[in-house]
Amino acid sequence: MSEKIYDAVVVGGGPCGATTANDLALAGHSVLLIERGGRIKPCGGAVPPRMLEDFDIPHSLLVAKARCARMIAPSGRSVDMPVGEIGYVGMVNRDEFDEWLRERARMSGAERLCAVFEKVERDEHAHPQVTFRRKRGGEIESVRARCIIGADGARSSVAKQCLPGAERVPCVFAYHEIIKAPDNDDLEAFDPDRCDVFYQGKLSPDFYAWVFPHGDTASIGVGSANKGFSLRGAVSQMRSELDLTRCETVRREGAPIPLKPLKKWDNGKDVIVAGDAAGIVAPASGEGIYYAMVGGRVVADAASEFLKTGEAKALKLARKRFMKEHGRVFWILGMMQYFWYSSDKRRERFVTMCDDKDVQQLTWQAYMNKKLVRKKPLAHIKIFLKDCAHLLGMRAATR
């Protein structure tokens, strides 16, 4: 295997890497998907319905459908945002969901290899080597690739080795605990059809905490970029206050989540990154699954064009296409996070804004469609004026 040459080696078997591998294999390229076995990324697991359609995902992979989001302010005041008739928030379990995507890639023609990526090495040969170990302390093996795709998550090893400055991407560290869902129907703190989002400085000084339903289980988590903040302590506090300490803990997981796209995704030769490795997780919301799969698809398209033409400039098309479609949304969400998450006073006002029906309608339409809604300019003007009023403190923080 050491001298075999693949058209593409994809490092990382999450939603992004599996999508990239699947699309490249369907395009007729020889693909090796290198994945780390047994790792499940901490993730709320929320996905929009359009993702199922865009990527041919069976509805059977959904473990729950949330029909409402509850926003909880620092004061404890809550605002419910019902999805209404326009859809739902789908919930997936990452262990089952990711494995289904990887197996689909294999059935499409990609080879799967459970191993840990080591490095990209270059010599006199025209194509670089990708080295890896099948187990910790095992023998170093290698294959050659015409194109290397780094889909190995935040603080990607591929990105660090091949893209200058990639290690400086800002991250939020996320931690969650998967618990057995409570069976008490009278428990106000948990609703199997509702996603709860806590905008409280005591639970996260710069992001948010959550309780998301997953059918038989639930995800209780928190994110923060503050290195001195105890994420485990915050989750423990949540479980205690919500009467969820009695629920069995299934597993605990933590990982960094990037919140700013890299300025450059490729090395100008034969390496490109995608998904979390490229920093494409939505600011403010931390939503990553849908954007990871979109990123994997645009990278696969760009890599396929590169493989067919030999023109390295084709790799640059991936970032250009992604940012053209989603860059404005990312910019707005980034500004929102910077301002509204900076203090409990502002968080209180933010939750108050969420009680506005215009805000709710446009928020859900933007989430479902994954683009800014332009069909209702008057509603946008109303929201802009209300937003300005909140920014200037002209409206009461509570009603």
Side-chain angles (χ1 to χ4, degrees):
M1 176 181 262
S2 61
E3 289 301 316
K4 183 169 182 178
I5 301 176
Y6 289 89
D7 288 336
V9 170
V10 181
V11 180
C16 176
T19 298
T20 305
N22 183 69
D23 285 8
L24 282 170
L26 289 175
H29 301 291
S30 59
V31 182
L32 177 65
L33 176 61
I34 298 178
E35 54 179 291
R36 291 173 58 183
R39 181 180 180 275
I40 307 172
K41 178 185 173 182
C43 176
V47 298
R50 76 164 286 181
M51 191 195 78
L52 306 182
E53 299 177 6
D54 290 353
F55 296 94
D56 296 321
I57 305 298
H59 284 248
S60 60
L61 286 176
L62 297 181
V63 294
K65 292 182 178 180
R67 305 287 181 177
C68 177
R70 171 168 291 182
M71 310 303 195
I72 300 96
S75 64
R77 174 176 180 259
S78 63
V79 170
D80 285 354
M81 298 178 62
V83 178
E85 298 179 356
I86 62 174
Y88 57 86
V89 178
M91 310 302 297
V92 298
N93 286 335
R94 288 293 300 273
D95 52 350
E96 300 169 359
F97 182 71
D98 290 15
E99 175 57 23
W100 186 90
L101 291 174
R102 289 190 289 264
E103 186 60 14
R104 179 170 68 172
R106 185 192 67 79
M107 294 178 66
S108 296
E111 293 183 36
R112 290 180 59 178
L113 174 64
C114 186
V116 177
F117 167 78
E118 287 285 324
K119 64 178 64 175
V120 175
E121 295 184 339
R122 298 182 184 275
D123 53 22
E124 69 282 357
H125 197 281
H127 306 301
Q129 285 183 318
V130 178
T131 65
F132 54 86
R133 299 178 190 266
R134 294 176 187 258
K135 61 180 180 179
R136 185 182 297 274
E139 178 184 355
I140 292 182
E141 302 177 56
S142 66
V143 295
R144 293 191 183 272
R146 295 176 59 202
C147 183
I148 300 168
I149 294 104
D152 49 337
R155 297 175 181 171
S156 155
S157 295
V158 174
K160 287 180 182 178
Q161 291 180 30
C162 303
L163 302 179
E167 71 280 358
R168 295 193 294 270
V169 62
C171 291
V172 162
F173 199 87
Y175 169 79
H176 79 161
E177 296 178 0
I178 297 295
I179 66 169
K180 291 287 184 67
D183 54 9
N184 185 354
D185 294 337
D186 297 327
L187 187 63
E188 172 64 18
F190 180 80
D191 186 328
D193 297 319
R194 188 185 71 215
C195 292
D196 291 354
V197 186
F198 296 79
Y199 296 101
Q200 300 178 335
K202 66 178 183 179
L203 297 179
S204 174
D206 52 357
F207 204 57
Y208 65 82
W210 69 84
V211 177
F212 286 176
H214 280 246
D216 294 336
T217 62
S219 166
I220 304 178
V222 63
S224 176
N226 189 329
K227 294 182 179 179
F229 185 76
S230 174
L231 301 178
R232 286 178 177 264
V235 171
S236 177
Q237 181 178 352
M238 287 175 65
R239 293 185 64 172
S240 177
E241 292 179 354
L242 300 175
D243 193 25
L244 297 175
T245 54
R246 57 187 174 83
C247 299
E248 177 185 345
T249 302
V250 179
R251 64 178 187 270
R252 299 177 174 87
E253 298 152 354
I257 299 176
L259 293 180
K260 187 175 182 180
L262 293 179
K263 293 183 178 180
K264 191 174 182 179
W265 292 7
D266 69 280
N267 69 344
K269 296 179 181 178
D270 46 22
V271 177
I272 186 169
V273 295
D276 282 15
I280 51 174
V281 175
S285 68
E287 182 187 0
I289 298 177
Y290 173 79
Y291 291 113
M293 296 181 72
V294 171
R297 175 148 291 172
V298 297
V299 164
D301 289 343
S304 181
E305 189 166 343
F306 162 65
L307 291 168
K308 292 173 181 177
T309 66
E311 297 287 342
K313 64 182 180 181
L315 296 177
K316 300 184 184 301
L317 295 174
R319 188 184 190 281
K320 182 178 181 180
R321 290 167 179 167
F322 182 90
M323 296 306 292
K324 181 179 180 180
E325 182 71 16
H326 303 286
R328 183 175 296 183
V329 171
F330 273 46
W331 182 82
I332 291 174
L333 291 175
M335 293 297 293
M336 190 177 99
Q337 179 179 334
Y338 175 79
F339 183 85
W340 290 115
Y341 294 8
S342 61
S343 71
D344 271 355
K345 183 178 180 180
R346 291 180 177 178
R347 293 185 187 98
E348 195 76 38
R349 290 176 179 166
F350 174 70
V351 172
T352 297
M353 281 182 59
C354 293
D355 203 15
D356 186 279
K357 299 305 179 184
D358 289 327
V359 171
Q360 292 184 14
Q361 184 180 29
L362 291 184
T363 296
W364 285 125
Q365 287 179 346
Y367 175 79
M368 298 300 171
N369 298 312
K370 287 294 171 264
K371 60 179 63 177
L372 297 178
V373 181
R374 298 183 176 90
K375 294 182 179 179
K376 297 187 177 182
L378 291 179
H380 280 289
I381 292 172
K382 286 172 62 180
I383 290 174
F384 173 76
L385 294 175
K386 293 171 184 175
D387 195 33
C388 288
H390 281 282
L391 289 174
L392 296 172
M394 294 167 61
R395 295 185 63 165
T398 58
R399 291 181 179 176

